[in-house]
Amino acid sequence: MWLQFIFSDLPVEHRVDIVFLVDSSVEVTPAEFREQLKAVSSIVENMLILLREVRVSLLCYGADAKVSVKLNQATTSNNFIEGLNNSQFIGGERRIDIALHSAHQQFQSVDKPASKRLLVVFAKGRQAAGALPLKQVVEPFKDQGVRFFMVVTSEQNELKNLVAKSGNVYFTSSFMALQNILRSLQPDIISEGKLVNARKKIVVT
């Protein structure tokens, strides 16, 4: 099933900022890395994001975090997918704290904040020992009103305790099975990031 969104009478200002964090730590296989990117691509393409009103950023993280697409860089879906396809595998231990800090910088990089701010985090497991406590790292996001969406492979992942709504945590047995959760993840992102004062029609094909 494909969801096509047709917007009319949208104001020029950006309504939604979305940042994706893709896990490319040492425990993630190249195939799992590609599956995450495929899931992100599916979300972006199937929503048919109009990037004049919605800004999207993509970061890959491991021992460090690298921006593949800046929040104010992608102006079309094609530009975003091009940046996604050029994403680099980072490797090293999983430093979710560093990834979240980089995501926060992306949200701050735009001149005018969007009405809605969403953060989608993929994590295969817990972050590395010695990293900053996630409860401390997410404090700045609360001030910005950022809504978290967590895609995790372990029910013990500490990230699930950071999400305001339990329904925004998505467990999968493996990143190789991400396509199975897109049916719930994608509509939830659309619902949370719906555009205020925009008349929209949903066409199911």
Side-chain angles (χ1 to χ4, degrees), residues 14-19 55 71 107 110 113-114 116-118:
H14 296 90
R15 293 289 189 173
V16 180
D17 287 342
I18 307 176
V19 177
R55 296 178 293 210
L71 196 60
F107 283 123
V110 295
K116 288 281 189 176
R117 292 179 167 188
L118 310 179

Side-chain angles (χ1 to χ4, degrees), residues 21-35:
L21 297 181
V22 170
D23 191 347
S24 62
S25 59
V26 65
E27 295 178 7
V28 176
T29 67
E32 290 174 326
F33 178 60
R34 291 192 296 270
E35 284 300 310

Side-chain angles (χ1 to χ4, degrees), residues 106-123:
Q106 284 300 300
F107 283 123
Q108 289 187 311
S109 69
V110 295
D111 294 333
K112 185 176 181 180
S115 300
K116 288 281 189 176
R117 292 179 167 188
L118 310 179
L119 178 59
V120 183
V121 182
F122 294 86

